[in-house]
Amino acid sequence: DGGITQSPKYLFRKEGQNVTLSCEQNLNHDAMYWYRQDPGQGLRLIYYSQIVNDFQKGDIAEGYSVSREKKESFPLTVTSAQKNPTAFYLCASSMGTDAGYTFGSGTRLTVV
Amino acid sequence: AQSVSQHNHHVILSEAASLELGCNYSYGGTVNLFWYVQYPGQHLQLLLKYFSGDPLVKGIKGFEAEFIKSKFSFNLRKPSVQWSDTAEYFCAVNAGGNTGKLIFGQGTTLQVKP
């Protein structure tokens, strides 16, 4: 079955460490997105990519970085510069600009 | 800046009650509108979407939503809720351009009591 795989499901890191969240899709979608979900704030866009080797900052990109070397993969790195990294991170992909998203199951990151 | 506002943050209903969740957006141009649902422990999934045509759209599991352009609203409705509808509901808008970015509301948590 086609879908989006995010791994790991739970991640714990010490403050000051960088951590990379994985997102892989086999839907042949061109566009991929990273959102952060916090209680009462909905989903906020971190980064997005419409095509391989290209990506743009979203609304809350500070302290995060991404790469898009392959169509299937869009990893997100949470750097030590991110002030409040503890959150639930969602990856999504889309067929086109007018299409809805397919979401992954998310990664819950806890920084201690 | 474009924004989406969901008025109800937490709704508690008894089974068989009717549901209406409010959603308003701020954008004057052509919009595509979505409602997503997140059941406990599951990933976000699409309930319904509006692109054009009939402003009353029907989605899965008996949900429907009405696009009222003059009110910048896209409210979600269901005539009779079930315990299994307990979930978090998100309204989202794709406000033009060619990025495909969705702007999400804050979410509404629905709790249905059996």
Side-chain angles (χ1 to χ4, degrees), chain A residues 9 31 33 35 37 40-43 45 48 50 57 59 88 90 94 96-105, chain B residues 9 32 34 36 38 41-46 49 51 88 90 94 97-107:
Chain A
K9 191 169 184 178
Y33 306 83
Y35 283 84
Q37 184 179 4
Q41 297 194 55
L43 279 69
L45 182 64
Y48 65 102
Q50 293 178 271
K57 292 181 179 180
D59 300 319
F88 188 54
L90 285 165
S94 173
T97 56
D98 291 338
Y101 290 176
T102 299
F103 281 92
S105 55
Chain B
H9 296 298
N32 297 328
F34 305 83
Y36 284 87
Q38 189 174 33
Q42 296 187 29
H43 60 270
L44 274 151
Q45 53 187 286
L46 183 66
K49 60 186 178 184
F51 283 179
E88 191 160 17
F90 293 93
N94 177 348
N98 63 352
T99 66
K101 293 190 299 182
L102 291 186
I103 302 165
F104 286 83
Q106 307 94 317

Side-chain angles (χ1 to χ4, degrees), chain B residues 29-95:
Chain B
T30 301
V31 292
N32 297 328
L33 297 155
F34 305 83
W35 274 97
Y36 284 87
V37 61
Q38 189 174 33
Y39 296 105
Q42 296 187 29
H43 60 270
L44 274 151
Q45 53 187 286
L46 183 66
L47 261 183
L48 48 79
K49 60 186 178 184
Y50 171 80
F51 283 179
S52 63
D54 189 344
L56 184 62
V57 293
K58 295 191 184 301
I60 60 171
K61 304 188 180 188
F63 286 91
E64 64 179 30
E66 184 175 14
F67 170 52
I68 304 179
K69 191 175 180 179
S70 61
K71 295 185 178 181
F72 299 91
S73 71
F74 190 55
N75 293 353
L76 181 71
R77 300 195 292 247
K78 186 171 184 179
S80 176
V81 295
Q82 302 172 314
W83 176 78
S84 58
D85 293 324
T86 294
E88 191 160 17
Y89 293 81
F90 293 93
C91 180
V93 59
N94 177 348

Side-chain angles (χ1 to χ4, degrees), chain A residues 33-88:
Chain A
Y33 306 83
W34 274 106
Y35 283 84
R36 170 179 171 144
Q37 184 179 4
D38 296 284
Q41 297 194 55
L43 279 69
R44 293 180 291 166
L45 182 64
I46 305 173
Y47 268 98
Y48 65 102
S49 167
Q50 293 178 271
I51 198 167
V52 175
N53 292 322
D54 188 41
F55 49 83
Q56 284 78 40
K57 292 181 179 180
D59 300 319
I60 56 165
E62 186 175 348
Y64 300 98
S65 66
V66 293
S67 63
R68 187 86 186 279
E69 298 175 2
K70 298 186 300 180
K71 188 175 187 177
E72 302 79 21
S73 179
F74 191 41
L76 173 75
T77 296
V78 184
T79 75
S80 56
Q82 168 49 231
K83 300 263 187 282
N84 296 297
T86 294
F88 188 54

Side-chain angles (χ1 to χ4, degrees), chain A residues 5-21:
Chain A
T5 301
Q6 288 188 245
S7 61
K9 191 169 184 178
Y10 298 95
L11 191 55
F12 295 86
R13 277 295 181 270
K14 289 185 178 180
E15 198 172 319
Q17 290 181 334
N18 292 355
V19 61
T20 298
L21 282 58

